[in-house]
Amino acid sequence: MENKEFTHLTENGVQMVEVGEKIDQKRIATAIGSIKLQEKTIKMINNHDIKKGNVLTTAQIAAINSVKNTSNIIPLCHSLQITGITVDFKIKKDEINSIVTVKTIGQTGVEMEAITGVSVALLTIWDMVKAIEKDNEGQYPNTMISNIKVIKKEKI
């Protein structure tokens, strides 16, 4: 395995890595993650029976906002000019997958933005359905966010 440096670490602490010497390129990243929910919750989402509102539309808006604010959330992440964001969902029997694709033209990639978008979309879904997902003791024994990962990263 190749020995890689931690580019954010210096003798004096941390730094934001200098990318100014890099050429602008079109960059695309796609991330995915899932939230496990009860079957009855999925049915309620599909039927628009959640009292807080449209769960997936709200999660899309939250994901887009979080992508645009990633550099404010992750301390050493560069602020980027985002050129496009798509947020999609795959609904299964007892889980929802969130897929976020982010595009930019710049000097550094957008994988952190895609991961952040997926994470916040899934957190928003949880927040929208938590009243249904809670058990009698107020716990969430079946609800789980997992498998958040980058599935594609491109420089064009």
Side-chain angles (χ1 to χ4, degrees):
M1 185 171 189
E2 182 182 330
N3 186 12
K4 300 204 181 220
E5 290 183 35
F6 290 108
T7 56
H8 288 83
L9 301 178
T10 70
E11 291 178 6
N12 299 322
V14 297
Q15 68 176 351
M16 179 182 274
V17 174
E18 173 60 49
V19 296
E21 301 289 323
K22 292 182 171 185
I23 62 167
D24 281 345
Q25 288 183 279
K26 184 171 185 177
R27 296 167 185 264
I28 303 168
T30 301
I32 191 169
S34 65
I35 183 166
K36 184 170 176 47
L37 300 168
Q38 298 173 68
E39 287 182 42
K40 72 175 184 178
T41 305
I42 299 282
K43 286 178 185 171
M44 290 178 74
I45 291 169
N46 282 331
N47 294 331
H48 303 285
D49 289 335
I50 304 296
K51 290 182 182 178
K52 281 189 169 185
N54 188 311
V55 173
L56 299 182
T57 298
T58 304
Q60 284 177 313
I61 293 167
I64 291 166
N65 281 339
S66 69
V67 166
K68 295 189 308 183
N69 286 290
T70 299
S71 66
N72 293 320
I73 300 168
I74 301 174
L76 301 177
C77 197
H78 289 86
S79 177
L80 302 176
Q81 181 65 42
I82 303 297
T83 61
I85 305 166
T86 59
V87 182
D88 295 310
F89 300 101
K90 288 187 182 172
I91 302 172
K92 300 179 180 178
K93 183 174 148 185
D94 65 349
E95 97 179 323
I96 298 174
N97 293 332
S98 173
I99 305 103
V100 175
T101 299
V102 182
K103 297 177 182 179
T104 190
I105 297 175
Q107 298 159 313
T108 188
V110 287
E111 63 272 21
M112 295 311 299
E113 287 75 8
I115 294 168
T116 300
V118 165
S119 300
V120 172
L122 297 172
L123 289 167
T124 301
I125 291 169
W126 190 321
D127 180 60
M128 298 279 296
V129 302
K130 64 186 178 187
I132 301 148
E133 286 291 299
K134 279 191 245 184
D135 67 12
N136 292 335
E137 286 87 43
Q139 303 301 310
Y140 303 96
N142 301 306
T143 315
M144 178 175 54
I145 293 173
S146 63
N147 300 317
I148 298 171
K149 60 185 175 182
V150 175
I151 58 172
K152 186 176 183 183
K153 180 182 171 185
E154 294 181 273
K155 282 192 255 185
I156 302 171

